[in-house]
Amino acid sequence: MLSCTEPASRFADAFLLGDGSLGVTVAGAVGEETFDLNADTLWSGGPVGPRTDAGAADVLPALRAAVAAGDHHRADDLARRLHASGWTESYQPVGRLTWRYAAEGPEAGVSDYVRELDLARAVASTRYRRGGQDHRLESFVAPGAGVLVGVAAAGTAAPSVGFSSPHPLLVQEVHEVPEGTLLLAAGRVPATVVPNYVPDDDPVRYADDDPDADGTVARGSGFAVAALVHSTGGEVRLTATVVTGFRGWRERPLGAVEPLLAQARERVLAAAGEATALLRERTEQEHRSRFDRVDLAVEAVPGHERDVAVAEQLFDLGRYLLIASSRPGTQPANLQGIWNVDVRPGWSSNYTTNINLPMNYWAAETTALADLHAPLFDLALDLAQAGAETARLDYGARGAVVHHNTDVWRFTRAVAGRPLWSNWPSALPWLAAHTYDHLDFGSAGTDFATRVAIPVHRAAAAFALDLLVPDADGALVPSPSTSPENTFLLPDGSQAAVTAGSTMDRELLREVFTHYLELLAGHGGGPDDEDLAAQVRAALDRLALPAVLDEVLQEWDPGKGSAEPGHRHVSHLYGVFPGTRVTARRSPDVLDAAAAALDERLGHGGGHTGWSRSWVLCLAARFGDGARAEEHLRVLAADLTSESLLDLHPHEGWPGNAIFQIDGNFGAVAGIAETLLQGHDGVLDLLPALPPSWVAGRVSGLRARGGHVVDLEWSGSALRRARIVAGRDGDLRVSVRGTGTDAVTVSLHGEVLPGGASVGFPARGGTEYVLDVVTA
C-alpha cells in the first residue's frame, strides 16, 4: 500500500492505474478528481513504409578504414551518413477527464486527507472529511472491460464530467441518455512530433488531410473518448474508455473518428450495465492472479525499519506497474510505461533499446511475471522483420539491425543525432537475449523457440556476422561499434564515439552467437540455419574477448579512457548483468576486474539517475555484495524517486527538475530479486547478496533458470529453510552462501546431505524439495 497525505501536484507524484492498454493517472484531488488518460497504441506519426533511397552501405568501407587507421573523428563524421533524416515518433497523451463527484466547498475545510494505492488490489482511493461528512472515491481500470471506473457515495450536488485534450478535438459533446450523462470526444494526434531534445521552430505538426474512403490516413491516428456519469445503488459512478485508430505497425491508422466514437460508446455503455462490486471483484482477482505469485516480507535490524519498508514497497510497486503496463496482446511498456501527459515527452517516451526497454523486463522471469514478457517478444519479432531493410540498405548486411530507438511503428534506423547514441547497432541481440531467457526459465510454450526465439536470433546473428572485421591480431570485432551514449578520449584530449569492438558489442555478439547455436541444438532449425550456424561457429571461435588493463575491465580497447568517467551507462559490465558470461565460478578474475570498473564509475559520480542506480544495484547483487546492494537501494529510494515512489531522472524543464522514467522502478525489482536468488552456472545461489539490515524475512515464488520455483526463509541474517519446486528433471545443485556463516549443514526432508554449503541431488520436475539449515 502506498499512502500520501496531499493530492499530487505533478505527474510524477500521482498514482497510476492500467490494464496494459488503458493507462490512467490519478491525482487524488478533493471533490473534483482529474484522470489523465493514455492508450498504449496512441503515438504520433504513421507507418514507416518502404524506403526509396539507395541507403548508405557504400560508406562502410571508408568508415571501417578510418576506424582501423585510428582516425576516429573521420569515423564519427562518416557515421552520420548512416543517420535517417528524422527520429522515432512520440507516445501521446489522450487528455484529461475532470469529474466533480462531491459538493463544492473550500479546500481549507478538508481534514483527515489521505490518498492510497492498494498495490495488491489495483485500486486507488481518496478519502477526507469536509463539512462534517466523510468522502471517499475509489478508482480502478477493469481488465477485459477496458474501462476506468470511479465510484463515490452519492451526494447532494449533481455530478459532472468534462474533458480537455492537448490535441484539436473534432467532436466534443455531452448527451443525456437513459443510462446517465454521456460525454463523447474525439480528435487526431500529430502527424509528427520532433523529440524534446531537438530544437525546432515547429516541433508538433498536425495533418490537415481528410481520411480516405476506408477512413484511414497516412499519419496522425484518430482517437475517441467516452465517459458516462450515472447513479446507482446510492453511489455515483464514472465509467470511461479510450479507443485509438491504430491498426498495426504496417497499417495506415484510422483517422475517421466516427467508428472510433461508436466503439467507445458501446464499450462504456456495456461496462456501465455491470455492477461496480462485480467489476471491482473481477479486477482484483485478475490482478492478484499475477501479483500474488511472489510475496516478500522483511524484518529490519533496529534503526533501519523505514528503509526496509520502502524497499518492500519498491518491490511491490515495480511488479504492480509491470502488471498494469504490459499484458499479452498490448504494446510493450515504454519509457513511462503507458502513462504520459506531454505531447513532447522526455525522449519521446519511446522504446530506448540501449538499456531502458530491456530493463523494463529484467524482473519478468525472476518474479513470476513471465506472461507479461509477451509484448517485448512481439516487438522483437516485428523488429527482426522491420530491421531487414535497414541492414540491407545501410550496411549491405544480412539479417536485421535495430539502433537505440524504436516506437510503435517499428522504426529501426539510426536517428538524426550524435554518433555516441545514434550509431549503436546492437539492440536486436539484446532483445534476443530476452527470448532465450524465457526458454531458459521454463516459461515458454511448445512452439516459442521455433516461432519467436530462433527467428529473432537468426536475424540478429546474421547481421552480426556481417558486422565483424579482423583486428590487428586477426581476432574478430564488430565495426562500426559504440558504447551507448559514451565517448572516449583521444591522445589530443578530443572525444570520439565510433570505433571497433566496444566491450558491450563484444558481449552481445558472443551471447547471441552462443544462444543461437544452443537453440538450434535443442529445438532444431530451418533450411537456412545449417549454413548460417556453420558461419556462426567459425566466427565464435575468433571473437575477441573484452579487454582488461591493470586489473580493470575496459569499455573499449586499452588506451581509450572514458571522456565522462562517471557516465550513467555501465554498458561494459553487461557480461556481469544482465548477461551471465562473467561469474565468480566461471571467471573470478574478470569479475574482479568488472567490480573495479564499477568502482571507477561510481567514484566519479556514476549512478546519478534512477535507472542507472537500479542497474548498479543489480550489479552489486551479482558481485555478491549485499552491503553495497542495500546502499544503492537506499539511495534510489531516498534520492531518486518521487512522493509516490516513481523513478526519477534529473532533467531541467520538468516539474521538480526531474522526469519520471519507469525503467528504474523495474530495475529495482530485478535487483532485489537478485540479492535473494540467483540461478546461473547451473547452481541455485540462495541469499547470495542479502542486505545486512534484512535480518529476517521470507520470500515466496521467485523463479530461476531451469524453471525452478523457490521460497526462502531466513533469520539472524542466515538461511533457515528453502522450498524448491524443480522445474525439470536432472541433478539440482544448491549453494547456501551469504548467510552469515562459512559452513552450514543442509538436510533434505530430514536427510543430512554431504557437501556443506553446496549440495547436489537428483531432482524430478514438478517435485517439491525442502532444505533446512540444521547447524551453523
Side-chain angles (χ1 to χ4, degrees):
M1 181 80 73
L2 298 183
S3 297
C4 298
T5 56
E6 294 181 348
S9 60
R10 59 174 179 163
F11 169 54
D13 292 325
F15 291 149
L16 307 179
L17 302 170
D19 65 354
S21 179
L22 175 62
V24 180
T25 303
V26 186
V30 170
E32 186 176 80
E33 184 57 279
T34 59
F35 299 106
D36 290 309
L37 304 180
N38 289 102
D40 68 321
T41 55
L42 193 65
W43 294 66
S44 60
V48 174
R51 289 169 60 176
T52 57
D53 64 293
D58 61 318
V59 174
L60 264 293
L63 194 163
R64 286 169 170 158
V67 168
D71 189 352
H72 295 287
H73 289 312
R74 174 165 170 72
D76 280 9
D77 289 340
L78 289 169
R80 288 182 170 88
R81 291 177 56 185
L82 296 173
H83 295 175
S85 59
W87 307 270
T88 65
E89 290 297 340
S90 296
Y91 184 56
Q92 289 299 293
V94 174
R96 172 173 289 182
L97 279 176
T98 303
W99 181 36
R100 178 163 294 283
Y101 63 91
E104 296 185 31
E107 192 167 324
V110 171
S111 63
D112 301 326
Y113 175 93
V114 64
R115 61 185 174 101
E116 296 177 327
L117 178 60
D118 191 327
L119 301 174
R121 297 176 57 234
V123 174
S125 61
T126 303
R127 49 187 171 84
Y128 56 92
R129 284 185 62 81
R130 183 167 61 181
Q133 290 187 322
D134 291 326
H135 294 268
R136 181 180 179 88
L137 168 66
E138 283 195 344
S139 33
F140 56 92
V141 171
V147 296
L148 161 69
V149 177
V151 59
T156 56
S160 62
V161 63
F163 177 72
S164 62
S165 176
H167 310 300
L169 292 176
L170 302 172
V171 174
Q172 187 170 25
E173 54 195 33
V174 176
H175 304 277
E176 295 300 323
V177 296
E179 295 84 357
T181 301
L182 178 66
L183 177 149
L184 297 173
R188 285 176 62 184
V189 294
T192 191
V193 174
V194 178
N196 70 295
Y197 53 84
V198 177
D200 193 283
D201 293 335
D202 186 24
V204 180
R205 304 161 198 164
Y206 290 88
D208 58 5
D209 58 324
D210 292 325
D212 285 352
D214 62 356
T216 66
V217 292
R219 304 176 69 83
S221 171
F223 66 89
V225 174
L228 180 73
V229 174
H230 53 119
S231 299
T232 175
E235 65 183 23
V236 60
R237 187 172 123 187
L238 170 73
T239 308
T241 196
V242 176
V243 175
T244 81
F246 182 76
R247 301 166 61 241
W249 64 275
R250 294 189 183 95
E251 305 299 324
R252 288 162 55 97
L254 280 175
V257 299
E258 292 80 5
L260 303 179
L261 282 165
Q263 185 180 348
R265 175 188 175 118
E266 180 181 359
R267 183 184 298 169
V268 158
L269 293 180
E274 297 198 62
T276 302
L278 180 61
L279 284 171
R280 188 191 291 110
E281 179 184 5
R282 208 182 304 153
T283 296
E284 180 176 350
Q285 288 178 348
E286 200 270 355
H287 177 73
R288 282 190 177 276
S289 71
R290 293 184 170 97
F291 187 82
D292 290 350
R293 293 172 189 171
V294 171
D295 183 46
L296 172 65
V298 181
E299 295 179 27
V301 298
H304 290 266
E305 293 86 354
R306 170 62 181 163
D307 289 343
V308 170
V310 173
E312 285 187 58
Q313 287 180 317
L314 275 175
F315 184 80
D316 288 342
L317 174 62
R319 296 185 70 250
Y320 164 88
L321 290 173
L322 188 57
I323 297 168
S325 63
S326 183
R327 302 284 182 90
T330 72
Q331 297 300 311
N334 62 48
L335 271 175
Q336 295 185 166
I338 54 169
W339 302 277
N340 167 45
V341 296
D342 299 306
V343 175
R344 292 183 82 192
W347 304 283
S348 304
S349 193
N350 63 15
Y351 302 117
T352 305
T353 57
N354 65 19
I355 176 59
N356 314 97
L357 174 62
M359 184 182 282
N360 284 358
Y361 291 89
W362 279 353
E365 300 295 333
T366 55
T367 68
L369 297 175
D371 53 326
L372 305 185
H373 224 155
L376 187 70
F377 304 146
D378 294 340
L379 175 64
L381 196 57
D382 290 346
L383 292 173
Q385 301 172 47
E389 182 181 59
T390 303
R392 178 174 56 83
L393 291 179
D394 290 341
Y395 293 87
R398 299 167 294 173
V401 62
V402 183
H403 294 84
H404 92 297
N405 274 176
T406 189
D407 57 17
V408 77
W409 308 111
R410 294 359 185 197
F411 185 97
T412 63
R413 296 186 67 186
V415 303
R418 298 177 62 192
L420 73 158
W421 63 70
S422 297
N423 286 89
W424 182 70
S426 300
L428 198 56
W430 199 337
L431 297 181
H434 282 256
T435 71
Y436 178 89
D437 287 348
H438 193 58
L439 285 159
D440 205 22
F441 276 79
S443 307
T446 55
D447 68 338
F448 181 81
T450 54
R451 182 176 55 85
V452 178
I454 291 176
V456 173
H457 279 78
R458 181 189 299 127
F463 176 79
L465 283 171
D466 290 347
L467 199 64
L468 293 173
V469 300
D471 67 9
D473 298 321
L476 294 178
V477 293
S479 180
S481 173
T482 64
S483 191
E485 305 192 27
N486 204 359
T487 56
F488 50 85
L489 289 171
L490 295 173
D492 63 359
S494 61
Q495 303 174 24
V498 180
T499 184
S502 73
T503 289
M504 186 182 208
D505 284 350
R506 296 184 194 201
E507 294 282 13
L508 285 168
L509 267 60
R510 180 174 294 275
E511 183 179 73
V512 78
F513 286 167
T514 302
H515 288 172
Y516 174 60
L517 296 177
E518 290 179 4
L519 288 168
L520 294 181
H523 303 276
D528 298 331
D529 288 306
E530 184 174 350
D531 182 56
L532 185 65
Q535 296 176 54
V536 166
R537 289 188 194 94
L540 190 56
D541 290 338
R542 295 179 57 197
L543 274 186
L545 286 167
V548 174
L549 177 66
D550 296 331
E551 300 182 336
V552 178
L553 184 66
Q554 302 296 290
E555 190 164 359
W556 302 274
D557 287 337
K560 290 185 173 72
S562 175
E564 188 182 343
H567 198 270
R568 60 197 174 275
H569 285 254
V570 284
S571 306
H572 50 318
L573 306 185
Y574 179 95
V576 178
F577 186 93
T580 59
R581 186 186 71 84
V582 181
T583 68
R585 293 185 185 88
R586 193 179 305 166
S587 46
D589 292 344
V590 181
L591 187 70
D592 289 343
L598 181 59
D599 287 342
E600 282 193 357
R601 203 64 128 211
L602 296 175
H604 288 88
H608 53 276
T609 71
W611 64 263
S612 180
R613 185 66 64 162
S614 288
W615 196 353
V616 173
L617 163 64
C618 294
L619 288 163
R622 284 286 173 92
F623 291 133
D625 193 336
R628 294 185 72 181
E630 181 173 14
E631 175 60 15
H632 295 310
L633 186 56
R634 186 198 64 76
V635 171
L636 175 67
D639 301 338
L640 296 166
T641 60
S642 70
E643 182 183 22
S644 56
L645 291 185
L646 297 181
D647 171 74
L648 297 177
H649 187 297
H651 196 296
E652 293 183 3
W654 259 262
N657 290 322
I659 186 170
F660 164 49
Q661 274 194 211
I662 203 167
D663 40 20
N665 286 106
F666 295 140
V669 180
I672 291 170
E674 291 284 334
T675 68
L676 303 173
L677 175 69
Q678 295 175 27
H680 33 270
D681 293 335
V683 180
L684 294 182
D685 287 309
L686 310 182
L687 304 183
L690 183 68
S693 294
W694 297 21
V695 65
R698 57 175 174 77
V699 66
S700 60
L702 292 180
R703 300 184 72 253
R705 295 178 187 277
H708 311 300
V709 181
V710 180
D711 302 346
L712 302 171
E713 299 173 23
W714 69 93
S715 62
S717 295
L719 183 72
R720 300 306 175 194
R721 170 168 284 197
R723 297 179 182 86
I724 303 168
V725 177
R728 59 185 66 160
D729 295 348
D731 290 338
L732 182 59
R733 179 154 292 276
V734 177
S735 176
V736 185
R737 61 187 179 91
T739 59
T741 180
D742 292 329
V744 296
T745 301
V746 175
S747 71
L748 174 65
H749 297 296
E751 177 186 355
V752 176
L753 298 179
S758 180
V759 298
F761 52 90
R764 183 176 294 277
T767 302
E768 179 184 274
Y769 299 90
V770 179
L771 282 72
D772 289 288
V773 177
V774 294
T775 63

